[in-house]
Amino acid sequence: MSQVEKRAGLLRRTSSSKKPLKEKVVLMYDEIFKEDPAKNNPRFWDELFLMKVNLEYLESKLESVDGEEVQRIQDNINSLFHHCVQALGEEHQIKVVNALQTLCALFRGVHQKNKSASGFDIINMLMGFDKAEQRMKDLMERLDSLLCGDGSESLKSLCLKLLLCLVTVTDNISQNTILEYVMINSIFEAILQILSDVSSRGQHGYDAVVLLALLVNYRKYESVNPYIVKLSIVDDEPTLDGMGMVVHQALTEYNRQYKDKEEENQGGFFSTLTSMVGSMFIADADEKLSVQTNEAILLALYEAVHLNRNFITVLAQVHVYFSLLWFYLCVCCTVMNNPELPLDPNLQTSNLLITFLKYASIVMQDTKDEHRLNSARLCLIILTCIAEDQYADAFLHDDNMNFRVNLHRMPMRHRKKAVDKNIPSRPLVCAVLDLMVEFIVTHMMKDFPMDLYLRCVQIIHKLLCYQKKCRIRLHYTWRELWSALINLLKFLLSNETTLLAKHNIFHLALLVVNLFNMFITYGDTFLPTSNSYDELYYEIVRMHQVFDNLYCMVLRVSTNTGQWKEAASKVTHALVNVRAIINHFNPKIESYAAVNHISQLSEEQVLEVVRSNYDTLTLKLQDGLDQFERYSEQPKEAAFFKELVRSISLNVRKNVSLNTLSQDVLLKEFSTIS
Amino acid sequence: MVVQSQSIWRKPTDTGSSSPSLSVCSSPSLSLPSTPSSSSCPAPGPAPSGTPPLGVISEGPGELSLVIDAEVAQRACQEVLQKVHISLMYQNRVDVGGSQNGAGPEPALSVTIVKPAQIQIREVEDDPGSVKSARRRQRHNPSKQSWLLRLFESKLFDVSMAISYLHNSKEPGVQAYIGNRLFSFPHDDVDFYLPQLLNMYIHMDEDVGDAIKPYVVHRCRQSISFSLQCAWLLGAYSSDMHISTQRHSRGTKLRKLILSDELKPAGARARRDPLALTPFCPAVSGSGEHGLSPSKRTHQRSKSDATVSISLSSNLKRTASNPKVESSQDEPVRLAPQREFIKSLMGIGKRLATLPTKEQKTQRLISELSLLNHKLPARVWLPTAAFDHHVVRVPHTQAVVLNSKDKAPYLIYVEVLECENFETSSVPIRIPENRIRSTRSVENLPDCGMTAEQRAGSFSTVPNYDNDDEAWSVDDIGELQVELPELHTNSCDNISQFSVDSITSLESKEPVFIAAGDIRRRLSEQLAQTPTTFKRDPEDPSAVALKEPWEEKVRRIREGSPYGHLPNWRLLSVIVKCGDDLRQELLAFQVLQQLQSIWEQERVPLWIKPYKILVLSADSGMIEPVVNAVSLHQVKKHSQLSLLDYFLQEHGSPTTEAFLSAQRNFVQSCAGYSLICYLLQVKDRHNGNILLDAEGHIIHIDFGFILSSSPKNLGFETSAFKLTTEFVDVMGGPDGDMFNYYKMLMLQGLIAARKHMDRVLQIVEIMQQGSQLPCFHGSSTMRGLKERFHMSLTEEQLQLLVDQLVDGSMRSLTTKLYDGFQYLTNGIM
């Protein structure tokens, strides 16, 4: 109680008297916790909402209510809630603002108090069971009309904050029973309206998108969530565009921040020197380039891509960023009269997918910390969804849509940092493949991210399936992919024992070998040149030792009895063709070398041998190489998403409470209005 | 001839009895007599009853009305023309104007017009032009011109002759008559000469202008596209005038009038306060209108355009925060959407020019076009197209920037929906981009809505569309429809099945074996069989886009388009040029088309491909791209082969049917263009300006240097036309049959062209009027052109000439030098 008082009196610091002077509003709060406040003062509620809210006091007061007291004051709290909702309909904006904030405090305070209590108790305490439905209906309707109306932008912002506050008030969103009423009284349309309008999107788009992402995750797997249903059928172009734009801007902002930080870190000789010296003292102070990742926005992107098939087209919208700029220019200087627009010619066009790929390349660099690991996983899941979608694939492979995508590459000892400027402009799928290759070569470490590797290899497989089906001959340097995959196998082999303790490496090995089988058996349908098929054989033969070792290993495991027996034997079968190729060509190459007395054959010579000896090689056609399991969130990913949503909730709650409810701005605004 | 003369003599009396069917015999091209109303409007109100057949112009009450009584005018003309001796015309039609002036009695040819003209004047007191001309007419003496009249009335009298007389005759009577007579020609025929008509209107004396104006105004009222066409051409051809005179010139005034959109169909205007309009143009409103416009709906329609469908203009201006600003004023809607559309295309071109690299240009182009897409569909169309349509979408990702050093011409593909009439048919509803999937799944049969013809076509390209009806209802790649190239069925039938689908049934435990050699072979076979594509080069993005066969591109874009399922979906393409003067191109197009029709008429199998030109102003315009064609430069650069080897690669060995027909096409087109190059003195013939199409034809493009102009290049290109040894090699060498065929074709072509020389000369001559174009530089342009037809030579002499020309061109050092020069300076191979 003393703590409460300390917080309460602003004036207390100056006066040392025992009876502190309390704010009027605090007194009024106190009254609520004693008896029916309206009994003595019929205008009590009117006056209350004219007072500046003291959130902290109200919250802590609610927290400190004891068990028996609850019964006593429940009616008063219900009444407070009721009047808050009513005040939302007031003309007087100050009242609306105060009511919104009071509601916020109510939700938070009551939850804080009853952390362990069931959702029903909380509802009962806030609104009273019998009236809960009506109260929440009123509340949602009021919020809806505030959000959609022509009112002040700050008010709208506050509404969204209240909703965010309500949604994140529990750690596990699915345990937040009040949301059941938000499901019944949908504010989905209001959210969409905010997103479809350019100006409101600019101001509230981020909150709206996060709110939507969270609402979609309410009891996702247990019941029918109307937000999921509604989101999946949205087909209004501007709205989807708007959603894409919000995500795009958030990701762009992240990429920019990262870049700034990166440049800061490598700024000149002196700073490198100081940082070297510095790192000598702070041994492992992990001065990493860590910009707070933004899982909430990524989750929104995922839900949009996963649930709404129309959203895929938004990924391909070329001009997202650019158009915004163009639009403003349009408004400023009537464009059509002035064809010479003062546009920056160096402005690179971009789209959501490119930004996303860049973001993914940053996030994937370092997967050690939990948030980044989650982000990286989510990125790969999104890419999986994209790779499965036909329209997205068509866009990725569109030969006319060429882009330069500057992926971030981890600086590594054994390779130079790629010169960014020389990246050619290519279809976007090349960037996706680059990203996958980049991931494969950079994450072979003790703490092996098996899950990410599986996803990565599956994405490649899905893209290959599309290319095979549609006979798209992508001009990609497949060699890089092949050698990355072979190196991965090599890594698995050399770390067999440590890895086997934690993972089923045979599954991954099988997927990798089957990628090779795709190339071997169906190469004719999607390889760009006949030479590339020769090169594939060359690469396999050159690295035959890896395949030999792999075969020995899987043979050994599959002959022993053990938990991996079956998995390993699958790999042995999958290796049939690769081994056939090695066994066929190796002797030929050796004899060629012997006949021509050459110790070291050049690549051209080996290719020559390969070319002239195809006809005597027979391969076995394997089943289901071009089949893949479609992505489904349930049941495999459910746990991941639950955890993810929990962490997002915590994060959002923290951010909402920290800075956004400061009402100075609001008051300033409304004092001039009213 | 007897019949004709009969009809002419009968005419005066017949017209008296005012039988509408009567003049059928005099103007063979129409079933109805030459009233503008009869040809254009389905339900003429007052016209049929007792009004004369020709050139009836009447206005509704309340409007300032002026009636040029066609019958009176016609009779007057007849009387005048009776005095002219027809032999004059037949011998040398072109010189008629001159001889009329020169000879003493002839100029009087219109004296008898006096009375009818006076009648006119009384009715039209505020038309100073006609007053003056009428007075002038009074000075003339009557003389025998019946033969001219007979010609005018005869079947042979076509637009070409009309234009020629309009230009050459100094007689206001004749001019007025022809002005009226224009109404009786089919619109398309007159449209061909629109540049000539307007150029005469701008640059010639008032009489000609007065004769032409009613027709132009009349057509403007009828058609939006004609209005815009006129406005653009008037702007372009007025631009050579001195600034001070330009502003007050007739052309500029008419252009302003058209663009002000006052020339609405009468029905629409009648609803408005007539007084508001009268000050504008008494002459125009008086003479051009016939009060029976078919499109009363226009006014309302334009209103609904603004609200229902998106009107481009209002849309471009509408702000983000207030999307409902849609224009409440319905004034500019008639012409505005199209003008805004064209304007934005031009704006893009101008902005692209500021970007340094091709790649940046391409990206900017794509993003700008995707913005444009947001404003479509609208009541806009591509004027280069041959049918009525609305533009619904620009597949922005397909657009390419063309090769040019400092300007930024670009090629866009445009999806359109064909419609009855773009002015009256309703604008299609926008289908959002992301509807592709739903429309696809709705549409189970991929070829529903195609015509039988198309379906037949589509079968050959995509053989197993029909096998699987559900192919399009799902869009997972797992179940994606596979399109087998045809070759699969014939080359390696059995195994290829496996390469398409692996066997998934687990029952068949029998292992299936395939030979690695087969896979490899299939790969190289398929790579060879797929039509050769050029490798993508960011510095030359157009090469790849142009190499793709048109049908394939259409199919591909159709599949990706949300509108693709509609039966009236069409794909068009257009090159947008910004900063280039296309007036010479237009002139060349007209000459080419004229020659093409001459050769067709004379049954000479020369092949040329005139491509449509749209002049928007003196420094901008659009070009209809030649489909399925790439430039010789691109061919050489990307294939690294000689032309003959390229032919062998594309069409097969020299004895195959495919090669032989490609070779024949090559020869026929070479001969055609050799003649064109010679006659028009087309210069700057480097390989970037010569296209090769998929059937082996060559097509010359870029007529920037013709007639008297040539690039300032130290006297390269002195030969008559470009004939390199490579060309001759494709023809089978200088001793081959095909080469002789080539020369023979040229001779036949030249003879045919000579026969109809006037039709060609006339086009050029009229355009020379008031023009500052470099191709008319100097005084000898026309003389030179005429001389190149070699009227005086016998056919034997002509043959000798052709041989000389061919030999000279083949040996020409300068051609080779010029190619080398182009390679060094511009990198054109």
Side-chain angles (χ1 to χ4, degrees), chain B residues 590-608:
Chain B
Q590 288 189 298
V591 171
L592 256 69
Q593 213 176 31
Q594 195 69 284
L595 281 170
Q596 192 183 36
S597 79
I598 289 170
W599 286 331
E600 197 180 330
Q601 192 184 334
E602 298 293 327
R603 300 177 191 284
V604 188
L606 288 175
W607 190 97
I608 50 172

Side-chain angles (χ1 to χ4, degrees), chain B residues 499-644:
Chain B
S499 95
V500 175
D501 288 307
S502 66
I503 301 158
T504 41
S505 62
L506 290 168
E507 285 97 86
S508 67
K509 274 293 166 208
E510 193 99 337
V512 184
F513 293 102
I514 36 174
D518 283 340
I519 300 174
R520 174 63 162 73
R521 212 166 304 132
R522 224 155 39 217
L523 175 61
S524 39
E525 248 173 60
Q526 278 174 20
L527 285 170
Q529 290 250 359
T530 44
T532 48
T533 52
F534 290 151
K535 221 177 152 214
R536 188 163 288 280
D537 174 5
E539 284 310 303
D540 186 7
S542 58
V544 186
L546 296 175
K547 180 79 171 98
E548 182 180 24
W550 176 251
E551 279 74 27
E552 208 162 287
K553 192 186 286 287
V554 171
R555 187 180 54 77
R556 194 165 53 77
I557 293 178
R558 186 166 198 155
E559 273 171 20
S561 164
Y563 301 92
H565 63 287
L566 298 168
N568 52 345
W569 185 94
R570 305 279 179 274
L571 188 72
L572 298 173
S573 60
V574 71
I575 294 171
V576 181
K577 282 232 178 190
C578 196
D580 286 308
D581 186 353
L582 294 184
R583 286 177 291 170
Q584 279 186 190
E585 289 278 347
L586 180 61
L587 179 64
F589 162 73
Q590 288 189 298
V591 171
L592 256 69
Q593 213 176 31
Q594 195 69 284
L595 281 170
Q596 192 183 36
S597 79
I598 289 170
W599 286 331
E600 197 180 330
Q601 192 184 334
E602 298 293 327
R603 300 177 191 284
V604 188
L606 288 175
W607 190 97
I608 50 172
K609 166 107 189 147
Y611 50 89
K612 282 201 191 123
I613 302 290
L614 178 72
V615 171
L616 292 170
S617 70
D619 67 346
S620 64
M622 293 197 208
I623 301 178
E624 175 197 30
V626 183
V627 298
N628 287 335
V630 282
S631 74
L632 287 182
H633 159 67
Q634 286 168 332
V635 166
K636 295 179 133 207
K637 187 173 160 205
H638 290 271
S639 70
Q640 299 289 339
L641 296 171
S642 76
L643 199 55
L644 178 60

Side-chain angles (χ1 to χ4, degrees), chain B residues 194-203 216 229-230 233-234:
Chain B
L194 190 59
Q196 276 73 24
L197 271 180
L198 294 176
N199 204 46
M200 283 194 274
Y201 180 79
I202 296 166
H203 294 292
V216 172
Q229 192 88 24
C230 284
L233 287 173
L234 285 169

Side-chain angles (χ1 to χ4, degrees), chain B residues 298-509:
Chain B
T298 321
H299 191 64
Q300 286 152 323
R301 190 191 64 233
S302 53
K303 214 187 241 169
S304 67
D305 278 355
T307 50
V308 180
S309 68
I310 322 153
S311 109
L312 196 68
S313 64
S314 56
N315 214 28
L316 286 172
K317 279 176 210 142
R318 90 179 178 198
T319 59
S321 53
N322 190 5
K324 274 146 198 123
V325 184
E326 311 264 80
S327 62
S328 52
Q329 81 279 19
D330 34 67
E331 272 309 301
V333 171
R334 196 170 103 105
L335 303 179
Q338 176 75 356
R339 289 179 73 197
E340 292 292 345
F341 178 63
I342 299 287
K343 230 188 216 168
S344 19
L345 288 180
M346 289 304 146
I348 293 174
K350 278 188 191 147
R351 269 166 266 151
L352 288 185
T354 61
L355 298 176
T357 68
K358 277 254 169 58
E359 201 183 319
Q360 279 175 314
K361 284 180 187 176
T362 308
Q363 284 191 348
R364 167 64 77 81
L365 175 64
I366 288 176
S367 48
E368 293 246 14
L369 287 176
S370 75
L371 280 177
L372 192 66
N373 258 337
H374 284 274
K375 280 107 195 173
L376 296 173
R379 196 175 293 284
V380 297
W381 66 95
L382 284 191
T384 50
F387 52 88
D388 276 16
H389 62 268
H390 295 124
V391 173
V392 290
R393 179 174 177 259
V394 179
H396 48 275
T397 63
Q398 307 301 321
V400 281
V401 175
L402 299 173
N403 299 329
S404 167
K405 255 208 281 183
D406 37 49
K407 312 232 170 63
Y410 58 93
L411 174 85
I412 54 171
Y413 296 91
V414 177
E415 294 174 28
V416 303
L417 294 184
E418 193 171 348
C419 60
E420 287 275 300
N421 180 334
F422 62 78
E423 292 187 38
T424 51
S425 307
S426 60
V427 175
I429 303 159
R430 176 169 172 78
I431 306 176
E433 203 80 345
N434 52 33
R435 284 285 168 72
I436 301 165
R437 38 194 72 238
S438 53
T439 51
R440 264 199 191 156
S441 48
V442 163
E443 189 208 16
N444 273 336
L445 284 169
D447 53 358
C448 85
M450 284 183 176
T451 65
E453 209 176 12
Q454 284 170 319
R455 194 172 290 137
S458 73
F459 270 119
S460 59
T461 46
V462 193
N464 54 353
Y465 252 163
D466 271 11
N467 298 348
D468 187 357
D469 281 2
E470 292 177 358
W472 295 102
S473 59
V474 281
D475 42 13
D476 319 325
I477 57 168
E479 296 154 81
L480 189 68
Q481 166 90 10
V482 184
E483 288 162 24
L484 274 178
E486 266 179 299
L487 58 119
H488 259 268
T489 43
N490 50 39
S491 71
C492 32
D493 29 34
N494 234 341
I495 307 151
S496 66
Q497 297 302 324
F498 302 138
S499 95
V500 175
D501 288 307
S502 66
I503 301 158
T504 41
S505 62
L506 290 168
E507 285 97 86
S508 67
K509 274 293 166 208

